[in-house]
Amino acid sequence: VRYKNFYKKTFGVSPTEDAILARVERAKYLLKNTNHHVNEIASTLGYQNEIQFMRQFKKITGVTALQYRKNHN
């Protein structure tokens, strides 16, 4: 518990939030720079399924993964 509080005070986010944000950043990179399907990206990043990934991606970015790819290619 102390570590989590220290982490959040130091970085402004919890370790879990930081990990999620890092996964989404990696997903954004893969969407822009590869032709991998969304389910492949989700699997590569360790998501249990594509739906879990898509929900989290949209919650953080405000757009779906496919919309993101379309807007950044």
Side-chain angles (χ1 to χ4, degrees):
V1 174
R2 284 183 174 168
Y3 170 75
K4 288 181 183 179
N5 290 337
F6 175 77
Y7 194 96
K8 188 159 187 158
K9 285 180 184 177
T10 303
F11 298 107
V13 293
S14 72
T16 302
E17 290 170 306
D18 203 14
I20 291 168
L21 292 172
R23 287 165 116 184
V24 170
E25 285 302 311
R26 182 68 178 153
K28 287 163 56 175
Y29 174 83
L30 292 171
L31 289 164
K32 282 195 273 187
N33 297 293
T34 72
N35 290 323
H36 298 319
H37 292 280
V38 173
N39 63 340
E40 291 176 284
I41 293 171
S43 178
T44 298
L45 296 175
Y47 285 91
Q48 295 289 327
N49 58 60
E50 183 180 354
I51 293 170
Q52 179 190 19
F53 164 72
M54 291 189 308
R55 285 183 182 151
Q56 201 164 65
F57 188 92
K58 186 168 184 177
K59 181 179 178 184
I60 292 169
T61 65
V63 296
T64 67
L66 293 178
Q67 288 170 323
Y68 184 86
R69 175 174 270 162
K70 182 179 175 184
N71 293 338
H72 292 87
N73 278 337

